[in-house]
Structure formats: C-alpha cells, structure tokens
Amino acid sequence: MQRRFNNELVNFTLKYPNKQFTQLVKLLFHGSKNVTSEQIYQSDEGLDSRFSASGYYGQGIYFADNAKYSHDYAKQIDPANKTFEMFLVFVIVGNAVKLPQHDQSLRLPPLLPGEQINRYDAVMNGNGDHTIIYSNTRQYPAFLITY
C-alpha cells in the first residue's frame, strides 16, 4: 500500500513540477464505520473505493478537513466507553476541481475543460472542505486515531 502511494506521488511530482508538496498532498480525516482498521491495514488497497457507498459526488473515497465531520463515519470500537477510531490520511489531490453541485453518478473526476481524455485528479465539494478521490493508490492511511 505504501509503495503504491509513493509511486503515485512520484508520478504526480513529475506531472506537476511547479506544484509544491503541500499543493499535491493533503492530510485529511476519514471515518470507516463498516470496516475495521485491521482490515484496512491488512489489505493491499488500504481504503478501497470499491466498497464505498455512493455519496453526493458518486462512488469515491471521501475525506474531510475537519475531524468533527468524519466522526459521524468513525468506527465505534467500544460502545460501553464510547471509543471510536478514525484515520488521518495522506491524500494526493493533484489538480482538484471544486463542484458546487452534487453529482452522484461520478465514478471518476470530471474531464478537464476542452478535453476528451484527461481528467481532474480529485473533486472537492462546493465549500472545499471535503475531498473525494476515485483511485485507491492516491491515499495512505498513515495514522489511526482512537478517542
């Protein structure tokens, strides 16, 4: 999983030579209430869009700038003590587009203007505080937060 992410990051630094690391990669929150952290860390894919429910911006992997938002999707691991888990994830956003309107049909980011093949790398909601990616190799769940 980490090797795939690193390879993807190298590709993005070559694709966008004028962008700084902080413009290419974000550290974002992700809650996965239907999957255990062990399943995510033991899988080759990490977070896997194939198991994602379709949301406002289609079937992708959703991340938030704010941990409070991701809490609603966090895995409750101990109901008696109200203990939860969520991830802090490195996400390659590359050239992201902000979409003011929901599009639940998305399975890939939209095409770049005037293009028939090349697409944006990620989607952001209208407020810009949620990021959606559609490729498993563009995320690395680096930290597991238990609270």
Side-chain angles (χ1 to χ4, degrees), residues 29-41 47 67-88 143-147:
F29 296 96
H30 178 83
S32 292
K33 70 170 58 174
N34 296 324
V35 181
T36 67
S37 56
E38 291 84 8
Q39 289 170 312
I40 290 169
Y41 280 126
L47 303 171
K68 184 178 180 188
Y69 182 86
S70 291
H71 170 73
D72 291 340
Y73 300 93
K75 176 88 171 166
Q76 187 170 22
I77 58 171
D78 185 354
N81 293 321
K82 297 182 182 176
T83 306
F84 293 84
E85 288 181 339
M86 79 168 67
F87 294 94
L88 192 54
F143 304 98
L144 178 64
I145 302 169
T146 303
Y147 57 102

Side-chain angles (χ1 to χ4, degrees), residues 5 24-29 63 89-94 122 131-133 138-140:
F5 177 82
L24 291 175
V25 178
K26 287 185 170 187
L27 197 53
L28 300 170
F29 296 96
F63 303 93
V89 182
F90 286 108
V91 180
I92 300 172
V93 295
T131 301
I132 302 92
I133 61 170
R138 296 183 185 164
Q139 51 76 30
Y140 180 71

